[in-house]
Amino acid sequence: MRILLVEDEPELASALRTALKRHDMVVDHAASLLEAGDFAAEDAYDAILLDRQLPDGDGLTLVPKLRARGNATPVLVLTARSDTSDKVDGLDMGADDYLAKPFAFEELLARLRALLRRPANMQTQVIRAGQMAFDFGHREVSIRGEALTLPRRELLVLEALLRRMGRMVQRASLMEAVFGLDDEIQSNALDTHVSRLRRKLAEADGGVEINGVRGVGYMLRETS
């Protein structure tokens, strides 16, 4: 799951990013309305966590702009404004949910899960390739019915390759899918994750293999 966090309070933003990453989420952080607009324009997020009181304006003004462009990414507003009228304004402008500060992180997670269960955002499909099945809803991989445990980064690599099964996935696209914009990564980090994933799929006889073109990208395909 890729999240855009729009929050200008450094301590809160850092705490949320750390906690969300522990729950297998890739998090990009914007500290202003301008940055948030630039990030959100990519339409590459599963959900947006949006603070209202930003240094360059009301974060809520971002929502109708997104909706006007056809961007239906779920937006959860995080704000100290807890009056009913403020909540109504936010929902009427296109936000999907509203959470008043301070809040418990467990409630934030529950609300995120609820947003992603809505029909337009459901990812409960299972994709099968070779002897492997990938349950997107539960982020689980199995081969011949037996669970294959993979660390978070390898799961993200596999998901990105599966979504373009049989086609070359550019390195840049994989990097965006696997790492957050603020992550400090080594030049060979992606190749390391792919190599480990390739070995595990081969050892489990998953009926799929990862082919790569140096400097270009990787492709997942079924073995004959």
Side-chain angles (χ1 to χ4, degrees), residues 111-178:
R111 289 178 181 268
L112 271 177
R113 289 194 296 265
L115 286 179
L116 294 169
R117 282 198 300 267
R118 294 181 180 179
N121 305 290
M122 287 184 70
Q123 298 186 18
T124 57
Q125 76 267 30
V126 175
I127 292 183
R128 301 180 186 279
Q131 302 299 321
M132 178 184 65
F134 192 116
D135 185 331
F136 284 87
H138 297 93
R139 280 279 168 77
E140 294 176 347
V141 181
S142 61
I143 294 179
R144 295 185 177 86
E146 295 293 326
L148 176 65
T149 302
L150 298 173
R152 180 171 68 96
R153 301 291 190 190
E154 291 171 31
L155 271 174
L156 291 171
V157 170
L158 182 57
E159 178 179 351
L161 293 175
L162 265 174
R163 290 188 181 280
R164 297 181 180 89
M165 183 74 182
R167 293 179 289 168
M168 182 65 62
V169 182
Q170 300 293 320
R171 286 185 63 87
S173 297
L174 280 172
M175 294 288 285
E176 290 178 1
V178 176

Side-chain angles (χ1 to χ4, degrees), residues 1 17 39 62-63 73 82 97 101 108 116 138 143 147 151 163 173 189 192:
M1 188 188 307
R17 285 179 58 205
F39 284 141
L62 175 67
V63 182
T73 303
S82 58
D97 201 357
K101 299 177 181 177
L108 173 64
L116 294 169
H138 297 93
I143 294 179
R163 290 188 181 280
S173 297
T192 299

Side-chain angles (χ1 to χ4, degrees), residues 22 26 33-34 41 54-55 57 61 69 82 91 95 123 125 140 152 162 167-168 189 211 214 224:
R22 287 175 180 164
V26 176
L33 190 56
L34 180 61
L54 297 171
T61 60
R69 294 200 298 261
S82 58
L91 296 172
Q123 298 186 18
Q125 76 267 30
E140 294 176 347
R152 180 171 68 96
L162 265 174
R167 293 179 289 168
M168 182 65 62
N211 299 134
R214 183 179 296 275
S224 56

Side-chain angles (χ1 to χ4, degrees), residues 180-198:
L181 295 176
D182 296 325
D183 287 343
E184 295 183 4
I185 55 177
Q186 297 180 345
S187 59
N188 65 338
L190 176 63
D191 304 299
T192 299
H193 292 305
V194 171
S195 177
R196 291 171 179 168
L197 175 61
R198 178 189 281 137

